[in-house]
Every structure is written in structure tokens, then in C-alpha cells.
Amino acid sequence: MYEQVKEAIQGINAINVTPFDEELNIDWGSLQKNISFLLEKGLKAIYPCGNTGEFYALSKDESMEVTRFVTDFIAKRSVVIAGVGYDVKTARELAQHAESCGADGIMIHQPVHPYLLTDGLIDYYKEIAVSTTLPIVLYIRSEHISLEAIQEITKLPNVIGVKYAFNNLPHFTKIVQIIKEDIVWICGTAEMWAPFYYAAGAKGFTSGLVNVETSRSFQMLEALKDGNYPAAMSVWEEIAPFEELRAKYLNGNNVSIVKEAMSQLGLIAHSAVRPPISKINENEKHQVHELLQRWGF
Amino acid sequence: MYEQVKEAIQGINAINVTPFDEELNIDWGSLQKNISFLLEKGLKAIYPCGNTGEFYALSKDESMEVTRFVTDFIAKRSVVIAGVGYDVKTARELAQHAESCGADGIMIHQPVHPYLLTDGLIDYYKEIAVSTTLPIVLYIRSEHISLEAIQEITKLPNVIGVKYAFNNLPHFTKIVQIIKEDIVWICGTAEMWAPFYYAAGAKGFTSGLVNVETSRSFQMLEALKDGNYPAAMSVWEEIAPFEELRAKYLNGNNVSIVKEAMSQLGLIAHSAVRPPISKINENEKHQVHELLQRWGF
């Protein structure tokens, strides 16, 4: 199983959305549509309960329901890696739940605790890791997680991948060079950063864009696999306007833009998002519309 | 009730610890000792489930038990303001629980969601605020929360205080000047920053130090109330070595140092902390010991 998951995450790591209805309840029909779309387009690794899935706007029970629903519906047609997090006890519960649902792996969100220490972090990940037989992808979002901590945590036998997401490329490069374990290094900040991470040794990238449109992300993947950076950068140029809209307001727009685009294309029923984020304004909706037109929709 | 709470938070806002035993279960006896100490020393506002209380290392159920225990034990001998947070649904549950326990207010932790938008934030706080009749202290920890958002949120009728904790003093000053609501502005980064916040209009500060030693924090409070900055800065100098130890490792040591000092003084039974933090090393333990000696213990 480990080898199959490792292979799947070497490529596009699709972070699905959690669609809501206008009352902000989970819209299961739209979630099924979202997952169907990803399967149809050939995505091989799908992550329910990631940040594009508004994990932190779901209650614990809802996140468990989302993991179960997505895992059941995918039924082994792709690899499912479920996001888990919070305090150790809750993270272990979520991990065990994912395993009992038949998920293929877990992604451990970075602890939300404001204070982090190397030994404490190692214990944090170790205690979650020993609670499950599933392979683990670490999600590293800040430099508060020391190199020493990452070195120790990647020695845990079920850690197979690291999704690195704070864009300090020299730091990332150093980690890739120093750590000798067999780890799949994943660019955690999607297409805009993928070429640079690949230059340092990444073998996969995350994507929220693939919920909307997949051809450009696959073109980028092929270019990067071939080491063809000029080709990658030319796709980059096409993707940039969309990702720049997502990056507005210190990334506040990240999910709202994706859901708006999906809703304009009929891929989900509503563009609704939960607080602390909100729908984009009319002007931005228009920009999304124009961009989708430019992309040929 | 509102006026009494408003008065209590104009001063030292004590964030109690959550003591653990060596197996990392909550040590209720030590928690009672910790709260007794704070009451005895005359602290008027006590916050269970704050960051010094390792809120993010507690499960939801544990945080509810801590709030109930502290509120019951204090039994109106001081104001109790319980930390609540996470997704809207969970935060409302925690708020309603705090109210049913008889707490005097809630402090809403900044949402842990990585994406924030002004309208979404306003909705986030509004939905929590309408779920309770308790007065609310906002805990603002990053510049991701726009001035516009703070302006709207402070208009909610039960918001009485803002604990501001990202140390952008011109930004803080601007907020204090612009917002005309009757809000108690609190320095959220304790004694080391309190004088500067007071210069800008703060009327209270948070403290983890008071779990260990209260006389210096009260001296600082008196000096600041009198507008006697030279006196405040002279206390500052005495407090600094302790707070500098806490600030080590990007603040990773924040709670571990407090618990070590409390344990050395017999104020709690163990210095145990939960992952993702860990106990301090022998060298730092020695530094704490020396410091406590210098303080006359």
C-alpha cells in the first residue's frame, strides 16, 4: 500500500473543496460532483479536509463525515489522504477514523498551537503516527518547525511525504539535501511555486486549481517531470492570473475564488464559504468570469 | 455585570496554566492550587483556556472541563473569562458552555483558519457573539485581521475588550484612536510590552508571570496607572530576564518556563507540558532557579 500511495503523491495532489449550501450546511451532492470531476480528470491523490476544503471551518464531526463520504465515494479509484489535526488526542481520533473508513493515508496539519518546541513537535507527530498504520504526509507551514524536528519526524516509519508550504526555497533545498530518508517532497503552495520546488527536488505539488480546470496543471506536471522549465514557465504564465486572484488579501481569497469559479462552471451548486472567509465581491466575480472565458470556457 | 467585568479587565489579566501530571493528564489538584494562588494574590480577572493554559493542546471536552472547574472553584471571587475558539459551531458550543457554567465572559481566540477575509471575520465573531449574553474580549493575534474588521466587530453590543497581541504599536494606536466604541484595550503580550501599549491608550495587560510571582506585575500596573514610565521601566528591567527566557525559540518556551518556575516554587506538582511543546533543558532550569533566587525566593 505504501508504494502505491508514494507513487500517487508524486504528481498533482488535489485538495478538494467542501461545498456548502446557502445555509452553510455541507452540500453532499456538490461534494460528490467535485470528487467525480477530479476522478474523471485522472487525479490520482485526493485530499479531503485540507485547507482548500476549509478544514478549520468544519467541526470535528463534520470533518469525519467528509472523510467518510469522500473515501466511500472514491472506493479506491484514487488514493485518498485525509487531513487530520488539532490537539494530539483529537488528531489520533481523526487518524483512526480515517483508517477505519478505508482512507489510504493521512495528512497531518501543522499544529495550531502558538508555541512549538523541537522535542514537543517530535512527540506530537510520533504520538499521532503510532496511532495508525496509514502512511503520513506532513504539512509544514512555518519556519517554527525546526530542521532538527523535521529530521526526526521523517524517520518515523510511516512518514512518506512532506508537503512544505512556507516558500523558503533555500531552507527547503537544505532539508531535501540533508534528509536521507525516502521521502516524497511536495510543493505545498501549488502551481505558482511548483517549478522552483521541483528545481530543488520536489516530486509533486498540491493544487486547488484542479477543482476548476485540470489541463494546465497536468501540462505543468509533464513539463516539470521532463525538466522542461521553459515549458513549465509558459503554463505558469497562463495560470498566474487565477492564482493571483486567490492570493489577494494575504491569501484570504484562496478558497473563495476556487468556489466562485466552480460555481460559474456548474461544478458545484453554490459558491458559499464559511466564516472567517466570505464570498468575493462583484468585481472579482467578473474577473473570474473573464478569466474562465480566456481559458476557453 | 458588564461594568464589573470591564472594571476587572482594566488591570492585570491573569492567564492561568493547565497543570498536567507526568502522564499528561490534567492535574486538577495543581490547577486548584494555581487558581488559589491567583485569588490570594488579588488577581481580579482570570482566564482559563488561554494560550498560557495550552488551550490548543486540550481536547474540546477537556477545555470545557477546565472552564467548569475554574469557574466553580472561583465562585465569583474574581471575574472568570473563558477562552473559546475553533470553527463557529464549536466556538458557540464553548461559549454556551462557559455561560452555563457561570463564567463572567469569554475570550474568543483568533480563528485558526489560514484564510481570513473582512466580511467572513465579521460574520465569524457575530455568530459567536449572538450565541451568548456574556461579555466578550477579542484576542487579535495577527495583522490578517483588518482595521475594518475590528471596527465592525467592536460594534457588537457584547464586545467589551480587545486583547491585541501582535505588537504593531502604530497600528494599535491607530485602532484605539479610530474606534469610538467603549472598549477596554488590553496589551496581549504581557509585561514586556505593557508600557508601550499604555502609552497608546491600553488600560490592561495580560500576564503569565503572575502564575509565578505577582509583586512586580502589580508594581508595573501601579506605575502605568500613574503614568510613571520611569518607574514602569525600572520594574520592566527586573522582569525582563524571565520573559526573555520565555521568548526563546520563537516563543516556544512561553509556557514551559512558567510551569518550570511554578514547579520549582511548589505552586504546581509537575512542570509537565503537552506536545507540541516540551520541558525546558537542564541549563534553562538552572537559569530559572537563579532568577527566582535573584527575585528573593
Side-chain angles (χ1 to χ4, degrees):
Chain A
M1 179 173 82
Y2 272 51
E3 285 316 309
Q4 189 205 338
V5 178
K6 264 188 183 168
E7 203 183 305
I9 64 178
Q10 294 184 43
I12 302 175
N13 293 261
I15 321 295
N16 66 273
V17 299
T18 306
F20 301 119
D21 62 25
E22 291 295 352
E23 282 73 46
L24 298 186
N25 296 310
I26 297 175
D27 171 358
W28 300 103
S30 287
L31 179 54
Q32 183 170 321
K33 247 175 131 170
N34 175 209
I35 303 295
S36 294
F37 175 85
L38 294 171
L39 290 173
E40 210 173 276
K41 296 292 183 180
L43 273 307
K44 295 194 170 23
I46 297 176
Y47 290 66
C49 296
N51 281 334
T52 303
E54 294 172 75
F55 176 64
Y56 291 108
L58 304 175
S59 69
K60 186 178 96 177
D61 289 347
E62 285 177 323
S63 79
M64 290 165 88
E65 288 170 47
V66 165
T67 291
R68 181 177 298 283
F69 182 91
V70 169
T71 309
D72 282 353
F73 180 70
I74 289 181
K76 299 296 171 192
R77 288 177 288 169
S78 85
V79 154
V80 176
I81 300 177
V84 308
Y86 297 118
D87 62 283
V88 170
K89 188 166 166 269
T90 304
R92 287 172 73 124
E93 255 181 82
L94 295 178
Q96 283 160 8
H97 171 77
E99 185 158 2
S100 78
C101 291
D104 304 289
I106 55 168
M107 172 183 76
I108 307 178
H109 282 273
Q110 179 166 321
V112 290
H113 204 290
Y115 311 127
L116 303 172
L117 286 172
T118 295
D119 287 348
L121 276 164
I122 295 167
D123 285 348
Y124 179 86
Y125 288 105
K126 198 179 279 177
E127 287 186 32
I128 301 167
V130 297
S131 76
T132 178
T133 66
L134 291 179
I136 292 171
V137 175
L138 304 177
Y139 186 5
I140 305 288
R141 274 178 68 84
S142 104
E143 278 166 293
H144 285 225
I145 302 198
S146 66
L147 172 57
E148 197 191 335
I150 300 175
Q151 273 185 294
E152 286 305 309
I153 298 158
T154 48
K155 285 180 191 155
L156 295 170
N158 44 349
V159 173
I160 59 160
V162 173
K163 175 178 165 184
Y164 181 103
F166 60 93
N167 298 340
N168 180 335
L169 286 157
H171 184 252
F172 175 69
T173 306
K174 202 173 150 191
I175 290 173
V176 171
Q177 289 177 350
I178 286 175
I179 292 179
K180 297 300 174 212
E181 314 297 321
D182 183 22
I183 296 291
V184 179
W185 300 101
I186 300 164
C187 163
T189 46
E191 289 84 355
M192 286 302 91
W193 285 86
F196 319 120
Y197 281 80
Y198 267 69
K203 292 262 187 271
F205 59 87
T206 57
S207 177
L209 169 61
V210 289
N211 291 295
V212 178
E213 201 286 308
T214 61
S215 69
R216 286 166 184 80
S217 305
F218 277 115
Q219 280 167 33
M220 179 172 279
L221 178 65
E222 287 315 309
L224 292 175
K225 272 193 192 165
D226 294 345
N228 185 345
Y229 285 84
M233 296 324 290
S234 130
V235 191
W236 190 99
E237 212 180 331
E238 280 186 55
I239 294 173
F242 187 78
E243 294 294 300
E244 283 162 4
L245 276 177
R246 294 180 67 195
K248 271 178 79 174
Y249 315 115
L250 300 164
N251 245 345
N253 261 359
N254 189 295
V255 180
S256 307
I257 292 284
V258 168
K259 282 189 160 177
E260 172 60 26
M262 292 174 78
S263 145
Q264 287 190 18
L265 295 173
L267 299 172
I268 52 175
H270 304 278
S271 60
V273 291
R274 281 190 181 172
I277 56 172
S278 36
K279 289 189 194 182
I280 59 177
N281 62 38
E282 290 305 317
N283 178 36
E284 288 166 341
K285 282 185 192 174
H286 188 68
Q287 287 176 282
V288 169
H289 181 75
E290 283 190 326
L291 213 110
L292 293 176
Q293 277 192 319
R294 216 183 312 154
W295 278 355
F297 290 105
Chain B
M1 180 172 82
Y2 273 50
E3 285 316 308
Q4 189 205 339
V5 179
K6 264 188 185 167
E7 202 182 304
I9 64 177
Q10 294 182 43
I12 302 175
N13 293 260
I15 321 294
N16 67 274
V17 299
T18 307
F20 302 118
D21 62 24
E22 291 295 353
E23 282 74 46
L24 299 186
N25 295 311
I26 296 174
D27 171 357
W28 300 103
S30 288
L31 179 55
Q32 184 170 321
K33 250 175 126 169
N34 175 209
I35 302 296
S36 294
F37 176 85
L38 294 171
L39 291 173
E40 212 172 90
K41 297 291 181 179
L43 273 306
K44 296 192 168 28
I46 297 177
Y47 290 66
C49 297
N51 282 333
T52 302
E54 295 173 75
F55 175 64
Y56 291 108
L58 304 175
S59 69
K60 186 179 93 177
D61 289 347
E62 285 177 324
S63 79
M64 290 165 87
E65 288 169 48
V66 166
T67 292
R68 181 177 300 282
F69 182 91
V70 170
T71 309
D72 283 354
F73 180 70
I74 289 181
K76 301 290 169 195
R77 288 176 288 168
S78 85
V79 155
V80 176
I81 300 177
V84 308
Y86 297 119
D87 61 283
V88 170
K89 189 166 165 272
T90 304
R92 288 171 72 124
E93 256 180 82
L94 295 177
Q96 285 160 7
H97 171 77
E99 184 158 2
S100 78
C101 291
D104 304 289
I106 56 168
M107 171 184 76
I108 306 179
H109 282 272
Q110 179 166 319
V112 290
H113 204 290
Y115 312 126
L116 304 172
L117 286 172
T118 295
D119 287 347
L121 277 163
I122 295 167
D123 285 347
Y124 178 87
Y125 288 104
K126 196 178 281 176
E127 287 186 31
I128 301 167
V130 297
S131 76
T132 178
T133 66
L134 291 179
I136 291 171
V137 175
L138 304 177
Y139 186 5
I140 305 287
R141 275 178 66 85
S142 102
E143 278 167 294
H144 285 222
I145 302 199
S146 66
L147 172 58
E148 196 191 335
I150 300 173
Q151 272 184 293
E152 285 306 309
I153 298 159
T154 48
K155 285 181 192 156
L156 295 169
N158 43 348
V159 172
I160 59 160
V162 172
K163 176 178 163 184
Y164 181 102
F166 61 92
N167 297 341
N168 180 337
L169 287 157
H171 183 250
F172 175 71
T173 306
K174 202 172 150 189
I175 289 173
V176 172
Q177 291 178 348
I178 287 175
I179 292 179
K180 297 298 172 214
E181 314 297 322
D182 182 21
I183 295 292
V184 180
W185 299 101
I186 301 165
C187 163
T189 46
E191 290 84 355
M192 286 301 92
W193 285 86
F196 319 119
Y197 281 82
Y198 268 71
K203 292 262 184 272
F205 59 88
T206 58
S207 177
L209 169 61
V210 288
N211 291 294
V212 177
E213 202 285 309
T214 61
S215 68
R216 287 166 182 81
S217 306
F218 277 114
Q219 280 167 33
M220 179 170 279
L221 178 65
E222 288 315 310
L224 292 175
K225 272 192 192 166
D226 294 345
N228 186 344
Y229 286 85
M233 296 326 289
S234 131
V235 191
W236 189 98
E237 212 179 332
E238 281 186 55
I239 294 174
F242 187 79
E243 294 295 299
E244 283 162 5
L245 276 177
R246 293 179 68 194
K248 270 178 79 174
Y249 315 116
L250 299 164
N251 247 343
N253 262 359
N254 188 293
V255 181
S256 307
I257 292 283
V258 169
K259 282 189 161 178
E260 173 60 26
M262 292 174 78
S263 146
Q264 286 189 17
L265 295 173
L267 300 172
I268 52 175
H270 305 277
S271 60
V273 291
R274 281 190 181 172
I277 57 173
S278 36
K279 288 188 192 181
I280 60 176
N281 63 39
E282 289 305 318
N283 178 36
E284 288 165 342
K285 282 184 191 174
H286 189 69
Q287 287 176 279
V288 169
H289 181 77
E290 282 190 327
L291 214 110
L292 293 176
Q293 277 193 319
R294 216 182 313 155
W295 279 355
F297 289 105

